[in-house]
Amino acid sequence: MINLEYEKICDAIMDCDEKIRYVGIYDFGELIDKVRPGLKSYLTKEETETSLSQAVYRWSTRKKTTEKIGKPIFALAKYEKIYRITMSIKGAGLILVSTELDININEIVEKILKIKNSFE
């Protein structure tokens, strides 16, 4: 059941903006993901899974300061080729979204948060 819902979330995020290149949800060691049709991913599936397992660790370290600075909402990294947005979903899961650089990043993050929140 989780897989079907995660597929719907990936589709909704991908559909919310044409500048979104990739959406993945990583939960319980399983990756559900979508790449925008016509685009080639910069990373292999294995590289993406490794990167996501590292992101899960980084997210867990962010949660250690929750009592002092609040719960993490999202993390953003800007690379030379993409923006990468990470946020938690349903406890242990993580959503990873990569976008083109020529976007309003705050607008995209708000769209993604709205979609994510509608499923929680």
Side-chain angles (χ1 to χ4, degrees), residues 45-100:
K45 186 110 170 166
E46 293 76 24
E47 290 168 331
T48 299
E49 287 177 352
T50 298
S51 182
L52 274 163
S53 66
Q54 293 165 349
V56 167
Y57 173 75
R58 286 191 303 275
W59 199 264
S60 70
T61 62
R62 286 185 188 101
K63 293 196 298 191
K64 291 179 182 178
T65 56
T66 298
E67 286 186 26
K68 294 187 177 186
I69 60 174
K71 188 172 88 173
I73 308 298
F74 69 91
L76 174 66
K78 183 178 182 182
Y79 294 86
E80 290 178 340
K81 296 181 179 182
I82 61 165
Y83 281 113
R84 185 170 162 182
I85 306 154
T86 310
M87 59 185 68
S88 67
I89 187 164
K90 299 188 185 274
L94 276 186
I95 299 174
L96 175 76
V97 178
S98 67
T99 72
E100 303 293 352

